[in-house]
Amino acid sequence: MPVNYYIFLALALFCIGVIGVLTRRNAIIIFMCIELMLNAANLLLVAFSKLQTHSSPLPTAGSDAQIFVFFIMVVAAAEVSVGLAIIVMMYRNTHSVDVNFLNRLKN
């Protein structure tokens, strides 16, 4: 499968994530859209590492990007746990997950 397909899919996923972050008010949906953008970046890294593996005679030539993707997934898992804990605490205190309501709490 050509790398162009992977690039198009990652671009579509990233654009959906950006649109979701910019247009939604629900903190959980914004959080999911950020995760979607991270996964689009992961898809590109794996696709380009596959491309580098096929063009290089070295057997370990694409493993750097795959290791980087693994660390991104670990950080994303930590982000999910901390972010969901913050959202749950916000809901317990305000009974809302609306981001605009948080702006009113500053004043």
Side-chain angles (χ1 to χ4, degrees), residues 79-95:
E79 174 194 351
V80 165
S81 62
V82 171
L84 285 178
I86 290 170
I87 290 171
V88 166
M89 291 305 296
M90 180 183 78
Y91 182 76
R92 283 185 184 173
N93 291 333
T94 62
H95 298 291

Side-chain angles (χ1 to χ4, degrees), residues 35-70:
E35 291 295 321
L36 191 65
M37 291 188 292
L38 279 174
N39 285 331
N42 283 341
L43 179 64
L44 276 180
L45 284 172
V46 170
F48 285 132
S49 72
K50 182 182 174 185
L51 179 70
Q52 183 182 5
T53 303
H54 288 300
S55 64
S56 176
L58 297 175
T60 61
S63 61
D64 294 339
Q66 292 177 2
I67 291 171
F68 191 63
V69 165
F70 176 73

Side-chain angles (χ1 to χ4, degrees), residues 4-78:
N4 296 339
Y5 295 150
Y6 292 112
I7 293 172
F8 179 73
L9 178 63
L11 181 66
L13 288 175
F14 194 82
C15 288
I16 290 170
V18 168
I19 290 170
V21 167
L22 294 177
T23 60
R24 297 296 181 158
R25 294 182 183 172
N26 190 341
I28 296 173
I29 294 177
I30 291 172
F31 194 62
M32 287 175 22
C33 290
I34 291 171
E35 291 295 321
L36 191 65
M37 291 188 292
L38 279 174
N39 285 331
N42 283 341
L43 179 64
L44 276 180
L45 284 172
V46 170
F48 285 132
S49 72
K50 182 182 174 185
L51 179 70
Q52 183 182 5
T53 303
H54 288 300
S55 64
S56 176
L58 297 175
T60 61
S63 61
D64 294 339
Q66 292 177 2
I67 291 171
F68 191 63
V69 165
F70 176 73
F71 283 117
I72 289 174
M73 290 173 67
V74 169
V75 169

